[in-house]
Amino acid sequence: MRILFLGDVVGSSGCSKLVENLPSQKKQREIDFVIVNGENADESGVGLTQKICEKFFSSGVDVITSGNHIWDQKDIMEFIENEKRILRPKNFFEPSPGKGFEIFTTVNNFKIGVLNLIGNVFMKKSNDVFEAANQFINKFKLKKDFDFLVVDFHGEITSEKNAIGHFFDGQATLVVGTHTHVQTADEQILPKGTAFLCDAGMCGPKESILGRRVEPILHRMKTSMPQTMPVAKGPVEIRGALVDIDTTTGKAVGIERIAEIID
Ligand code: FE2
């Protein structure tokens, strides 16, 4: 069993390159299930729309996760209520539209749980992530409620992400971080069998600052003056992780970082 997780998709070019390339990648790499963090996939670089979600699904994405930008395009609030393949962080305040956890059936008939969480450090206010994680593992068990569990932890700092990785070790198949748009090189299998990568990185314009044009961001940082910060143009990087799973235990046997540049 092989899962592909792709990091934050940014803007139209990130979205279209991913959609164009995914079907052949799935075939070539024999991928059984695809999860994408899509919270920045709108052409503006924040939020996502029903139309974008449908493009992802028709290219072979199975689940779309998100984070702090999920509500930035308003039509998603209604769409998420009826589309269980889009998740928002489970520890958002209730009632928030949509869900933060769902169980899906893979093409090869396994049950896969996907949980979306958001960090508490340097992020907008939400429920305590460790409390939410604790409640989750008290309620759901790997190989009892699902065959595999993937956790997308949308957070800013590496220490909090590392801690969540270890918290779920042995209880999840994969814990992968998103949000910073910068891929880390710490892919590993934790001692009790959970694959971990602190941040999956971005699917978006390579020559950029987190997917945005360099000059306006530099100007804003140098002057603290407000700026429009358009999504950058040019070659797109596709980053994420490919995880191989032992279907008997639900634990990971391999994790490979994905980092490709597409012109
Ligand atoms: Fe984010």
Side-chain angles (χ1 to χ4, degrees):
M1 173 78 192
R2 182 172 277 182
I3 293 174
L4 175 66
F5 184 98
L6 292 172
D8 310 38
V9 184
V10 181
S12 309
S13 60
C15 187
S16 58
K17 295 291 180 200
L18 188 154
V19 163
E20 279 164 30
N21 282 279
L22 188 58
S24 59
Q25 285 295 315
K26 270 184 93 167
K27 208 176 269 182
Q28 224 174 14
R29 295 180 187 261
E30 300 179 324
I31 295 161
D32 301 300
F33 200 81
V34 180
I35 305 167
V36 168
N37 186 301
E39 68 147 9
N40 299 299
D42 184 68
E43 58 186 350
S44 64
V46 288
L48 81 171
T49 59
Q50 176 173 350
K51 209 170 148 190
I52 294 167
C53 294
E54 283 164 358
K55 273 190 202 168
F56 281 144
F57 294 140
S58 59
S59 76
V61 170
D62 295 288
V63 178
I64 302 168
T65 53
S66 66
N68 52 312
H69 287 300
I70 179 69
W71 311 132
D72 289 359
Q73 303 300 322
K74 303 301 169 215
D75 85 333
I76 205 71
M77 289 190 197
E78 201 182 325
F79 187 54
I80 201 172
E81 293 281 29
N82 303 311
E83 179 47 84
K84 67 175 200 167
R85 292 175 292 175
I86 309 167
L87 297 175
R88 48 82 173 167
K90 185 162 172 53
N91 55 322
F92 270 3
F93 294 124
E94 297 295 351
S96 291
K99 283 181 169 182
F101 170 70
E102 191 59 71
I103 299 169
F104 304 92
T105 305
T106 67
V107 278
N108 35 10
N109 244 0
F110 289 106
K111 291 215 176 321
I112 177 167
V114 183
L115 172 65
N116 200 176
L117 291 171
I118 195 163
N120 296 127
V121 183
F122 301 139
M123 300 296 282
K124 72 176 181 183
K125 206 172 163 191
S126 54
N127 289 316
D128 187 282
V129 68
F130 288 95
E131 184 55 39
N134 205 31
Q135 280 172 11
F136 183 87
I137 58 166
N138 285 335
K139 193 169 173 189
F140 297 104
K141 297 276 179 278
L142 186 64
K143 293 314 285 182
K144 179 173 164 274
D145 299 291
F146 30 70
D147 296 292
F148 322 116
L149 174 66
V150 175
V151 182
D152 173 350
F153 179 41
H154 201 72
E156 188 70 51
I157 65 162
T158 49
S159 54
E160 192 185 31
K161 287 167 156 176
N162 257 291
I164 283 289
H166 282 278
F167 184 92
F168 277 101
D169 188 16
Q171 305 281 344
T173 309
L174 166 68
V175 176
V176 59
T178 55
H179 178 68
T180 70
H181 297 197
V182 178
Q183 189 178 51
T184 55
D186 60 334
E187 73 276 17
Q188 63 194 287
I189 311 262
L190 297 174
K192 293 177 191 159
T194 297
F196 178 73
L197 177 63
C198 218
D199 204 294
M202 169 180 78
C203 298
K206 183 181 180 302
E207 299 303 327
S208 70
I209 297 174
L210 313 186
R212 304 303 181 110
R213 273 177 49 200
V214 171
E215 282 309 321
I217 300 264
L218 271 183
H219 185 73
R220 185 169 108 151
M221 291 201 171
K222 286 193 294 191
T223 64
S224 291
M225 291 302 291
Q227 286 287 302
T228 50
M229 296 175 291
V231 172
K233 296 188 187 325
V236 161
E237 59 181 30
I238 300 286
R239 291 185 187 263
L242 199 58
V243 178
D244 285 315
I245 305 163
D246 176 345
T247 55
T248 324
T249 62
K251 295 184 183 175
V253 290
I255 176 166
E256 179 194 337
R257 249 182 311 132
I258 298 292
E260 284 167 6
I261 310 296
I262 305 174
D263 278 325

